[in-house]
Amino acid sequence: MANAKIITIPNILTSLRIFLVPFFIIAMNSKDYSLALKIVIVAGLTDSLDGIIARKFNQISKFGIFLDPLADKLLLLSIMITFYINELAPRWFLSVVFIRDAIVAMGWLEMYLRKKKIANPTMLGKISNASQVIIFGYILLSTNFSIPSMPDFGYFLVSFLAIISLFQYILIRLKNDK
């Protein structure tokens, strides 16, 4: 059960993730991909830790339930936009995952504003988000180290997951609006 506390360790970690977004954008804008990679790693760790701590120490809060997906979307959309500008991944791929995430974020926000309800992520949605984080992390790794670039199959797979999870969210939403 979610509590009404705002200041909890998980919420502080989630807030740190939001705080890191402008620094990630600045690093990407200045083409400091090494710093950008470090920021993404820290953001990923805070994302993992906030959930673990919230569940293990019963610090799940209503504020955190709202803030965590917001932080995730801000970071992912910032990554997509900066990758698009810096041409670090195929633009068709970035367009697909950006449109998916923007639609999901708008639906999530609309549901919260209209119904005061937070949509629970689906397992497919979580897998889609995780695959995006993995591919973006790999791209940053490959820009910093001598490792092969992402094969086209990776882009197709992550795009497929994004599209399928978007359709799942749309079907769930249509079912809930009846």
Side-chain angles (χ1 to χ4, degrees), residues 9-177:
I9 300 292
N11 289 350
I12 292 168
L13 291 170
T14 301
S15 298
L16 174 62
R17 199 160 66 251
I18 293 170
F19 178 77
L20 289 172
V21 169
F23 295 100
F24 171 80
I25 293 169
I26 292 167
M28 290 296 291
N29 190 46
S30 60
K31 300 199 184 323
D32 188 347
Y33 300 134
S34 176
L35 177 59
L37 175 61
K38 291 171 188 162
I39 291 169
V40 168
I41 290 169
V42 171
L45 288 173
T46 64
D47 191 20
S48 296
L49 285 174
D50 67 9
I52 291 167
I53 293 169
R55 287 184 291 279
K56 185 165 179 76
F57 296 102
N58 197 26
Q59 292 188 1
I60 297 171
S61 68
K62 292 176 185 176
F63 184 66
I65 291 170
F66 175 82
L67 193 64
D68 187 64
L70 176 66
D72 292 344
K73 289 300 170 214
L74 285 173
L75 182 62
L76 273 176
L77 293 173
S78 297
I79 290 171
M80 291 173 205
I81 292 167
T82 56
F83 274 42
Y84 189 91
I85 291 167
N86 290 299
E87 299 180 7
L88 293 179
R91 289 191 166 187
W92 67 264
F93 163 73
L94 293 168
S95 297
V96 167
V97 293
F98 181 87
I99 290 167
R100 180 262 184 203
D101 274 34
I103 291 170
V104 169
M106 285 186 291
W108 173 78
L109 182 61
E110 187 269 340
M111 178 181 275
Y112 178 77
L113 293 174
R114 193 164 55 91
K115 296 182 177 184
K116 301 294 184 237
K117 183 179 175 186
I118 302 290
N120 292 326
T122 64
M123 184 53 68
L124 187 55
K126 288 180 180 185
I127 292 169
S128 176
N129 277 356
S131 70
Q132 289 177 34
V133 170
I134 290 166
I135 200 169
F136 293 138
Y138 185 86
I139 292 166
L140 280 174
L141 278 170
S142 70
T143 61
N144 283 289
F145 301 101
S146 296
I147 59 174
S149 60
M150 177 59 60
D152 287 343
F153 175 76
Y155 295 116
F156 288 114
L157 177 62
V158 174
S159 297
F160 176 75
L161 290 169
I163 292 166
I164 297 301
S165 70
L166 174 61
F167 283 125
Q168 183 185 38
Y169 280 122
I170 290 170
L171 290 173
I172 290 169
R173 184 58 190 271
L174 291 173
K175 181 181 167 190
N176 288 339
D177 276 353

